[in-house]
Amino acid sequence: MEKTVNWTVDEVEAALAKGEIILIDVREPQEFHAERIPGALLYPLSDFDPHKLPHSGTKKIVLHCKSGGRSGQALPMCQEAGVEVAGHMEGGILKWIAAGKETRSDLEEKKGMSVPQAVMALGSAMVLISMGLSMAFGPVWLLLGAAVSFMLLQAAFTGFCPAARFFLALGFRPA
């Protein structure tokens, strides 16, 4: 297996332009759709499977994320699975943006409610329904509100929200 290295923004840009690498973004879908590096492919760390990474002949795989933390977590996962990865981009997309490199966004392309707005609306509605059902049929219905609160807390601390993925799949704006 090739030695894992930290790639600089300029090295990644040059290798992408020459078609020498496949750039894999391990951020979450809402982050990817809000701003991404042109040509990068999305493989979120939350359900990352090194065996599902694309293979394209002589092209090397380089990982990236927001700042380098998550791509740094994905590297050993690839090594343990025996999947060859050339390294990850040092500083992630934040460093790419700071260097003035080109990015793409879906924000301008989609109109209507954003994913965070949809998640908040759904959560609020479910808590209100829970309260109404508990007043009408008994306090056991408060468990629905508690489950919604738990889901939102879990999403806040982990960055993974099943409801957000659902709304993205429906075509809501990422942010």
Side-chain angles (χ1 to χ4, degrees):
M1 188 178 298
E2 213 174 293
K3 183 181 182 328
T4 302
V5 297
N6 291 326
W7 288 56
T8 67
V9 167
D10 291 332
E11 289 170 334
V12 169
E13 182 182 46
L16 273 174
K18 293 176 186 173
E20 296 173 345
I21 64 169
I22 300 171
L23 185 61
I24 302 295
D25 189 332
V26 298
R27 297 175 302 148
E28 294 304 310
Q30 61 271 23
E31 296 173 284
F32 179 83
H33 293 296
E35 190 162 30
R36 67 184 173 279
I37 297 171
L41 303 176
L42 178 62
Y43 286 80
L45 186 61
S46 60
D47 59 3
F48 189 74
D49 181 353
H51 295 292
K52 291 184 180 177
L53 291 175
H55 302 284
S56 181
T58 61
K59 289 186 181 184
K60 298 176 182 177
I61 294 176
V62 176
L63 307 172
H64 93 86
C65 61
K66 182 177 179 180
S67 62
R70 286 177 277 183
S71 58
Q73 291 174 20
L75 284 170
M77 293 169 70
C78 293
Q79 291 168 340
E80 289 171 16
V83 175
E84 191 171 324
V85 174
H88 74 128
M89 186 170 72
E90 198 171 35
I93 195 169
L94 290 179
K95 199 163 191 176
W96 181 275
I97 293 167
K101 308 294 184 188
E102 179 186 5
T103 61
R104 293 263 184 336
S105 172
D106 293 337
L107 295 180
E108 298 83 34
E109 299 170 15
K110 294 184 180 179
K111 304 292 182 205
M113 191 180 286
S114 71
V115 169
Q117 290 170 324
V119 169
M120 288 185 278
L122 175 66
S124 298
M126 289 180 72
V127 168
L128 289 173
I129 290 168
S130 169
M131 291 172 62
L133 289 171
S134 72
M135 289 178 9
F137 301 109
V140 71
W141 287 99
L142 290 174
L143 292 174
L144 175 62
V148 170
S149 295
F150 175 77
M151 177 194 72
L152 294 174
L153 280 171
Q154 174 265 325
F157 288 111
T158 66
F160 174 71
C161 180
R165 287 197 166 194
F166 171 75
F167 287 121
L168 274 173
L170 290 178
F172 283 73
R173 283 188 297 113

